[in-house]
Amino acid sequence: MEKPRSEVVLYGTWASAYCTRVQLALKLKGIAYEYVEEDLTNKSESLLHYNPVHKKVPVLVHKGKPIAESLVILEYIDDCWNNSPNLLPLDPYQRAKVRFWANFYDQKIIPSSYAVVLSKGKEQENAIKEFNELLTVLEEGIEKDFSTKFPFNGEREALGFLDIVVGAHACNYRALEEAVAVVVEPKEHPAFLSWVTKLKEYPLMKETLPPHDKLAARMRERFSLAPKRNIATL
Amino acid sequence: MAEEEVKVFRTWSSPFPLRVIWALKLKGVEFDTVYEDLSNKSPLLLQYNPVHKKVPVLLHNGKPICESLVILEYVDETWKQFPLLPQDPHERAKARFWAKFGDDKVFQSIVYGILFKQGKEQEEEIPRAMEILQHLEEELKGKKFFGGEKIGLVDLALGWLAYYLGIIEEVIGLKLIDQEKFPLLLQWIQEFSTAPIIQENWPPRDKLIAKFAASREAALARGLK
């Protein structure tokens, strides 16, 4: 039997944006935790025990009780440690809007980004086109729904729920572009890129995101394509 | 108490708006209903849900909320009577997990993997669906409802199964769950589908069978292209 773990344990992988989200939330709230790096080709008994349904990371284990699914984990962290800063806004209507866009990002934007990296030629061109259309929907929607631009939790400096959900994934876009293809046209999405750029500069984000070169190398390896140089610059 | 305007945009057949209707009725909240024809969407629907152009939409004092599970959380936070989510953070997380599982896995498998498929493709999905439903069977151990003694968020999220599964089984001519392997799920189906309020709000069975048969035909035709 393995040694007893700390009160808060996160099972994750370094390259997973879903895991980065949880690390950001824990750090933001000042929660001490133990991190366990999983090898997804050889999943630990603990992971299979704590997430028997999906057998995936991230899994947060708090006092021996597991929580799976990154958005569910983020809400749990906010519910359980309701100290400042709040991840979600306090007003129910604002919360609904944040949840809506978090779901949109996960259900539309992320799958679309996968479609880009997993396709080639004409198919990839179409996938990039669709991805950019979805980004436009996201940009325009967020502008309409929220009165503040960045961060999305209002007046204060700390990251909010959407910053975490989007940032953990979007801030890696340069690594993706280096490894696979230019995906985001700067001229088409200045608002989105401005948001992502600000997020990347945020100290907590800088220290938590996977290292660029390591991630780019892994994406190249994973998507079996020669390295491409990004011509467009911000 | 101030005048409240609460409106639900729905279709007669879709299970997703039902979740919202059940939640509001269980909480005793008065609301108006707007029936949409999705082949001819109203300007209001397009205005209130420009991103997905779907039902349900909840309109509360002029504020639109979209996506049924997001709406359920909003409803629970706004009207505190008959709570849908438990107080304990870990129990809340479990409820959210299972609600998401219902949409991501159960609905996907049964509707897109089985109802909308035929032949070998459909055949291959069935054991996957059984595995997925087995998780629900496990989750019901020692409980009357997914929410425990009372109906909760997960029951509302999975509630479509209690009525629509039987309809799907009839349309495809296959029984998916039986008493031997899924005694608890069948018991839950019975309890939930006949519970007060739930019982009164099911759409007409024959009409649904016809509609689902037509949807299946359309999906199969698309798949063969």
Side-chain angles (χ1 to χ4, degrees), chain B residues 21-170:
Chain B
I21 287 161
W22 290 329
L24 292 169
K25 289 196 177 191
L26 285 166
K27 289 177 180 274
V29 176
E30 302 256 317
F31 64 96
D32 290 322
T33 305
V34 178
Y35 281 89
E36 285 286 329
D37 170 4
L38 295 183
S39 62
N40 185 19
K41 295 172 185 180
S42 75
L44 275 183
L45 179 66
L46 299 176
Q47 179 193 331
Y48 292 135
N49 193 356
V51 173
H52 299 297
K53 307 174 177 56
K54 285 182 175 176
V55 291
V57 177
L58 177 75
L59 194 68
H60 183 209
N61 295 332
K63 298 173 290 191
I65 301 107
C66 308
E67 294 294 281
S68 60
L69 294 183
V70 174
I71 297 172
L72 287 184
E73 297 249 16
Y74 175 84
V75 167
D76 212 32
E77 288 168 4
T78 303
W79 293 282
K80 307 284 193 188
Q81 64 277 27
F82 200 100
L84 301 174
L85 276 170
Q87 288 287 83
D88 172 72
H90 191 251
E91 293 300 311
R92 291 161 79 82
K94 277 165 62 179
R96 288 177 174 134
F97 175 90
W98 288 111
K100 190 173 199 296
F101 180 81
D103 281 359
D104 291 349
K105 300 286 178 191
V106 183
F107 191 85
Q108 272 295 121
S109 180
I110 291 180
V111 175
Y112 291 95
I114 294 178
L115 176 67
F116 287 173
K117 293 271 194 278
Q118 61 188 342
K120 199 151 193 286
E121 270 187 310
Q122 188 193 66
E123 235 180 84
E124 287 174 351
E125 183 61 26
I126 291 177
R128 273 197 283 266
M130 295 302 103
E131 250 188 75
I132 287 166
L133 290 172
Q134 189 57 37
H135 289 301
L136 298 184
E137 180 75 14
E138 297 273 323
E139 192 50 29
L140 280 169
K141 281 205 174 106
K143 296 201 281 198
K144 182 177 177 188
F145 295 107
F146 287 101
E149 273 307 297
K150 276 173 44 203
I151 286 171
L153 182 94
V154 182
D155 300 283
L156 299 191
L158 289 168
W160 63 274
L161 264 181
Y163 193 76
Y164 290 70
L165 184 63
I167 286 162
I168 289 168
E169 284 175 331
E170 185 151 335

Side-chain angles (χ1 to χ4, degrees), chain B residues 197-220:
Chain B
I197 290 178
I198 310 298
Q199 181 166 233
E200 292 109 51
N201 286 285
W202 295 119
R205 195 166 195 276
D206 290 342
K207 266 184 94 177
L208 271 181
I209 290 172
K211 178 150 174 90
F212 273 55
S215 298
R216 174 178 158 79
E217 287 311 307
L220 294 179

Side-chain angles (χ1 to χ4, degrees), chain B residues 167-184:
Chain B
I167 286 162
I168 289 168
E169 284 175 331
E170 185 151 335
V171 168
I172 62 174
L174 266 176
K175 199 124 189 62
L176 292 171
I177 62 173
D178 60 44
Q179 186 59 35
E180 199 200 318
K181 290 203 200 79
F182 298 98
L184 298 176

Side-chain angles (χ1 to χ4, degrees), chain A residues 33-144:
Chain A
Y33 66 99
E34 185 186 337
Y35 175 76
V36 177
E37 176 72 22
E38 280 286 326
D39 173 3
L40 297 181
T41 63
N42 184 21
K43 295 175 184 178
S44 72
E45 259 183 61
S46 296
L47 180 64
L48 300 176
H49 170 71
Y50 287 128
N51 192 0
V53 174
H54 299 301
K55 307 176 175 59
K56 285 179 172 176
V57 291
V59 179
L60 187 74
V61 182
H62 182 205
K63 295 185 188 166
K65 291 190 193 168
I67 306 102
E69 295 295 287
S70 66
L71 296 184
V72 175
I73 297 171
L74 292 184
E75 294 239 19
Y76 173 80
I77 290 171
D78 215 25
D79 271 350
C80 203
W81 289 276
N82 48 24
N83 58 316
S84 180
N86 303 108
L87 301 179
L88 280 165
L90 297 174
D91 171 72
Y93 184 50
Q94 299 303 320
R95 288 162 80 86
K97 289 192 281 190
V98 168
R99 285 175 175 137
F100 176 90
W101 288 109
N103 285 343
F104 181 85
Y105 197 83
D106 276 11
Q107 285 158 21
K108 301 283 181 191
I109 303 261
I110 292 184
S112 176
S113 71
Y114 273 119
V116 170
V117 304
L118 294 173
S119 58
K120 293 193 294 263
K122 194 83 182 53
E123 214 187 287
Q124 192 182 61
E125 265 174 55
N126 288 337
I128 291 175
K129 183 166 172 282
E130 195 188 297
F131 179 78
N132 278 280
E133 281 166 10
L134 287 169
L135 264 192
T136 300
V137 172
L138 180 76
E139 267 184 324
E140 292 180 351
I142 282 185
E143 197 159 359
K144 179 169 157 251

